[in-house]
Amino acid sequence: MREFDLISRIRERVASRDDVVLGIGDDAALLLPPAGMQLVVAMDTLNEGVHFPAGTAPSAIGWKALAVNLSDLAAMGATPAWCTLSLSLPEPDAGFTDGFLDGFLQLAKQHDVALVGGDTTRGPLSVCVTVHGFVEPGQALRRDGARAGDEVWVSGTLGDAAAALVQWRSDAAADAGLRERLDRPTSRLALGRALRGIATACIDVSDGLLADLAHVCKASGVGAVIDAAALPASDALLTGFDRPQRRVMQTAGGDDYELCFTAPPSCTAKLASLQAETRLTRIGRITAGQAVRARDAEDAGWQPAATGYQHFG
């Protein structure tokens, strides 16, 4: 395929929305934001061998490329609307493109997200997505609102994606459930919206729990203590790895795309009402100072060798 054949192939499969005045096919998109709303914009790049293993199914790459960006909107309490896609391919492969779109557009349809433009180019396999969403003025969840005395919570379970990477790198038998968490993360958009007015700060766990919580603490001018024994784990993680392995995966593994948020103790009952939709676990508390510390079951201080992934570490 030539470049414009590839673009046409993408455009033929894309659904639109009433607020897309002009989508794929021109120099830029024309979009109609709703009156009185703030625009929320996030962007992430996924590279082969860094964000997904070589040989990952094209549909999984497509799903994850959008999911990790929607996760950023979830952490802000925003509702998604539009996205753009920059796709770098070694060759204009129709089979790969169709598979990629299968996953990408499946997730886009679930959340009524319209693909409105982007770019295609020759190069190493790389995907860059920008998402746009809306939030009411003053309602966005941010990183700078945590206060000493708040409790630290996390959604879902932690460590599954890191465990899948360990299995892949060691050529061990892969657990299908763990690999699904790596390839097709869940974007907690409904939870993010429900946390508005409850959470004092929020972030999605992409690089590792301790590293990402440290961003919240730095922005808020506080510290945190995490109870490693309280971290929620899936059955697959519990049966496949021992406690020391799990503890590192859950605190520093990353790629979970769960929401880590803070809330005052007075909001515990409100959070309990959200448990029917999403598992929520209280894992620690916000303290004075700036350090983020973990403790084990014996209340002894413990830290992994690294607190999370660093691209240029």
Side-chain angles (χ1 to χ4, degrees):
M1 288 191 301
R2 296 178 183 270
E3 178 186 5
F4 291 104
D5 295 329
L6 179 61
I7 294 171
S8 295
R9 197 178 194 92
I10 295 172
R11 182 171 52 191
E12 288 170 0
R13 296 188 55 182
V14 169
S16 189
R17 294 166 42 117
D18 291 341
D19 52 12
V20 178
V21 179
L22 181 64
I24 297 173
D26 218 301
D27 289 304
L30 296 176
L31 308 171
L32 189 63
M37 299 290 278
Q38 291 181 331
L39 182 65
V40 187
V41 181
M43 180 179 71
D44 272 310
T45 299
L46 274 65
N47 293 324
E48 184 178 39
V50 177
H51 302 93
F52 55 89
T56 297
S59 62
I61 298 172
W63 175 288
K64 187 170 185 176
L66 181 57
V68 301
N69 283 275
L70 294 179
S71 183
D72 285 330
L73 294 191
M76 301 293 291
T79 300
W82 316 305
C83 69
T84 59
L85 166 66
S86 177
L87 184 59
S88 170
L89 295 171
E91 298 292 338
D93 186 329
F96 177 91
T97 301
D98 288 342
F100 177 92
L101 289 173
D102 286 342
F104 189 97
L105 296 179
Q106 179 187 1
L107 184 58
K109 183 178 180 180
Q110 286 184 18
H111 298 290
D112 192 24
V113 176
L115 177 60
V116 298
D119 187 34
T120 56
T121 186
R122 183 189 299 273
L125 180 55
S126 178
V127 187
C128 182
V129 174
T130 300
V131 290
H132 310 76
F134 312 124
V135 69
E136 293 84 352
Q139 291 297 303
L141 302 176
R142 297 169 45 152
R143 298 180 181 183
D144 59 0
R147 297 293 178 262
D150 284 352
E151 297 171 331
V152 181
W153 294 75
V154 71
S155 66
T157 59
L158 299 174
D160 290 341
L165 276 176
V166 168
Q167 291 178 337
W168 174 73
R169 288 169 177 159
S170 63
D171 292 325
D175 180 274
L178 296 178
R179 185 59 191 255
E180 183 74 2
R181 288 293 308 278
L182 174 65
D183 288 346
R184 295 175 176 264
T186 299
S187 307
R188 301 293 187 183
L189 287 158
L191 175 62
R193 292 191 291 269
L195 289 175
R196 294 179 298 188
I198 299 175
T200 53
C202 188
I203 193 170
D204 72 325
V205 181
S206 55
D207 293 327
L209 174 67
L210 296 182
D212 289 319
L213 181 57
H215 296 318
V216 170
C217 290
K218 182 177 181 180
S220 300
V222 295
V225 176
I226 297 303
D227 182 359
L231 299 179
S234 67
D235 290 341
L237 190 69
L238 288 170
T239 57
F241 298 88
D242 61 30
R243 182 170 171 268
Q245 290 175 310
R246 293 197 307 269
R247 192 161 57 175
V248 173
M249 293 170 183
Q250 291 185 290
T251 56
D255 251 0
D256 292 305
Y257 298 99
E258 297 291 351
L259 296 186
C260 176
F261 61 93
T262 60
S266 59
C267 289
T268 300
K270 292 180 180 179
L271 292 171
S273 69
L274 303 179
Q275 293 274 12
E277 298 297 328
T278 306
R279 178 179 177 177
L280 301 177
T281 305
R282 181 169 46 204
I283 61 170
R285 69 180 188 277
I286 296 297
T287 64
Q290 294 238 340
V292 178
R293 298 179 292 114
R295 66 184 187 188
D296 61 19
E298 289 74 36
D299 200 30
W302 172 85
Q303 289 289 121
T307 59
Y309 184 79
Q310 295 187 32
H311 286 275
F312 302 102

